[in-house]
Amino acid sequence: MKSNILTVLNLLIALLWLGCGNDNGEFGDYRYRSDMHEQSSFKKHEDPRPPVAGTVPVRGFVEKVRDSLAAARLVNPVRHTAANADSGRFLYQTYCSPCHGVGAKGDGLVAAKFQKPPDLVAPKYVKAPDGYIYFVIQYGRLIMPPYYEAVKFRERWLIVNHLRSLQR
Ligand code: HEC
């Protein structure tokens, strides 16, 4: 009789244990397992931490551009070389060609369903300063989305250089 009661109790406890709580070790509002949860690593979708005051960039100076006029005066710090041409092409084809087309004529696959972008090999954009194109990549323009998160500083200049090679 006594062992029967114990078996039933054990069974109940086992069922409770199996049926309650979730994978995060939570039981309602109560966290019964917090060993790996409370830690300094990033949670999903958490913003990156701001750098410590006084931090200097390790890859040199990063331009701050206030507006397109200031941007137009920026000097392109990245030279187009045989060694970095592939990176520029890869970045352009990844981030720009879906709309602007592989040859920058404004005939990308997305353009067919979206607003057709301008022809970037036209004289108007041949004349546009490197810094202006850098600025458009960073902030977007009207309907074009900004790419500052996806395309970082040096990468923007590599794309500008690739665009120049398409214009030649
Ligand atoms: C989602 C589609 C899309 C993507 C991706 C895109 N663009 Fe654009 N882009 C546009 C559209 C649309 C316009 C026209 C914007 C307007 O004037 O309304 C435009 C305009 C431009 C212009 C001309 C701006 C001006 O002053 O007339 C430049 C330069 C440009 N894009 C460069 C780029 C580069 C470089 C990339 C890749 C980093 C890129 N775009 C990615 C859609 C796109």
Side-chain angles (χ1 to χ4, degrees):
M1 182 63 188
K2 201 170 169 197
S3 75
N4 271 353
I5 291 175
L6 271 178
T7 314
V8 169
L9 259 173
N10 276 339
L11 214 71
L12 266 174
I13 290 170
L15 280 175
L16 262 171
W17 187 254
L18 284 175
C20 304
N22 59 23
D23 289 348
N24 293 330
E26 289 158 343
F27 183 88
D29 284 339
Y30 175 67
R31 179 179 296 283
Y32 59 84
R33 215 180 58 220
S34 61
D35 39 348
M36 294 296 280
H37 187 81
E38 305 301 341
Q39 54 171 295
S40 51
S41 65
F42 281 89
K43 308 278 180 295
K44 278 182 250 170
H45 309 302
E46 192 178 356
D47 281 342
R49 290 207 190 115
V52 180
T55 306
V56 276
V58 287
R59 294 254 193 108
F61 173 73
V62 167
E63 310 85 354
K64 278 212 174 76
V65 278
R66 277 170 292 111
D67 53 48
S68 59
L69 281 177
R73 288 194 294 270
L74 289 175
V75 178
N76 184 343
V78 181
R79 262 188 345 118
H80 186 70
T81 63
N84 68 25
D86 276 354
S87 309
R89 182 185 314 109
F90 174 78
L91 288 163
Y92 175 86
Q93 290 184 353
T94 305
Y95 294 108
C96 319
S97 75
C99 295
H100 287 277
V102 175
K105 294 234 159 244
D107 54 356
L109 291 174
V110 176
K113 310 247 175 208
F114 191 60
Q115 181 173 313
K116 188 173 156 38
D119 174 0
L120 296 182
V121 293
K124 179 179 172 193
Y125 296 106
V126 176
K127 274 188 237 129
D130 284 4
Y132 178 73
I133 295 167
Y134 176 97
F135 181 82
V136 174
I137 300 173
Q138 180 167 356
Y139 291 108
R141 177 171 151 99
L142 301 178
I143 197 172
M144 174 180 149
Y147 280 87
Y148 63 89
E149 277 181 330
V151 182
K152 293 302 174 198
F153 315 101
R154 192 181 134 76
E155 296 173 331
R156 289 177 210 152
W157 294 116
L158 288 170
I159 291 179
V160 171
N161 290 344
H162 178 68
L163 197 59
R164 293 300 186 215
S165 72
L166 293 176
Q167 289 169 340
R168 278 194 284 272

